[in-house]
């Protein structure tokens, strides 16, 4: 039997297209997009097959977000950029597919809530000129997808199943 993975945080759904709720974060990797390998799936064709990847480095407790989409992933009001990776901190808000003007709330938006003991559990430090969070890259480690059943927000049918119950 495989031991249950330890929960390290929650992903709170905040977008206008999502029902309110949160997703437990216990796996080392979570994909957001349209394909069946994504834990958070949308039917919306403006969402990429794999739009974004959330990774947790258990050794350091750091949480990383990778933009895998040409349509864009944002940390706050700043676009990350396809193939770029940013470190997330407790309370950070990221979203998919923002309007050009930014005047309308994003359809797909999330806040991250990290549990104590995670290396990223402290709030984001104040920015300074010497550190640009958008130029950071993932530490050299192969992240593996954990098990689990995908949960789908309101725009797609829910697929939650009871595990071991």
């Amino acid at each position: 039997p495989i031991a249950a993975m330890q929960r390290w945080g929650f992903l709170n759904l905040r977008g206008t297209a999502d029902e309110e709720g949160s997703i437990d974060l216990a796996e080392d990797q979570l994909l957001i997009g349209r394909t069946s390998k994504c834990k958070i799936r949308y039917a919306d064709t403006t969402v990429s097959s794999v739009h974004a990847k959330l990774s947790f480095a258990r050794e350091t407790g750091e949480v990383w977000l990778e933009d895998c989409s040409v349509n864009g992933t944002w940390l706050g009001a700043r676009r990350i950029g396809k193939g770029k990776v940013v470190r997330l901190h407790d309370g950070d808000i990221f979203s998919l597919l923002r309007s050009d003007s930014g005047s309308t709330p994003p359809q797909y938006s999330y806040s991250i809530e990290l549990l104590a003991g995670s290396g990223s559990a402290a709030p984001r430090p104040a920015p300074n000129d010497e550190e640009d969070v958008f130029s950071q890259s993932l530490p050299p480690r192969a992240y593996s997808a954990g098990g689990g059943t995908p949960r789908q927000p309101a725009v797609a049918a829910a697929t939650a199943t009871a595990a071991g119950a």
Side-chain angles (χ1 to χ4, degrees):
I2 298 174
M5 299 189 92
Q6 183 177 358
R7 181 183 308 125
W8 52 268
F10 300 94
L11 193 61
N12 300 305
L13 304 172
R14 302 171 46 98
T16 60
D18 294 320
E19 291 181 13
E20 288 187 25
S22 65
I23 296 171
D24 288 352
L25 298 173
E27 300 162 351
D28 292 346
Q29 181 175 283
L30 179 139
L31 300 176
I32 301 170
R34 290 191 335 262
T35 67
S36 61
K37 64 183 176 181
C38 295
K39 184 166 184 164
I40 301 175
R41 278 196 303 259
Y42 294 101
D44 183 342
T45 57
T46 58
V47 173
S48 297
S49 296
V50 174
H51 200 99
K53 178 170 50 173
L54 196 63
S55 300
F56 179 65
R58 289 189 187 275
E59 302 82 29
T60 62
E62 295 173 338
V63 180
W64 300 87
L65 175 66
E66 180 178 356
D67 183 356
C68 304
S69 170
V70 295
N71 291 334
T73 303
W74 281 256
L75 177 57
R78 194 156 171 202
R79 188 173 184 156
I80 297 170
K82 183 173 179 160
K84 293 188 179 166
V85 178
V86 295
R87 182 174 173 192
L88 296 180
H89 294 269
D90 188 56
D92 278 350
I93 297 172
F94 68 94
S95 58
L96 318 179
L97 309 170
R98 293 178 66 102
S99 68
D100 289 337
S101 68
S103 60
T104 57
Q107 288 183 297
Y108 313 111
S109 182
Y110 317 89
S111 66
I112 188 143
E113 183 180 339
L114 301 174
L115 299 177
S118 166
S120 295
R124 174 169 297 286
N128 63 47
D129 293 336
E130 297 165 8
E131 178 185 0
D132 181 359
V133 296
F134 292 90
S135 64
Q136 296 183 22
S137 60
L138 267 176
R141 179 188 185 285
Y143 290 95
S144 60
T149 302
R151 282 188 52 184
Q152 299 174 332
V155 292
T159 61
T161 61

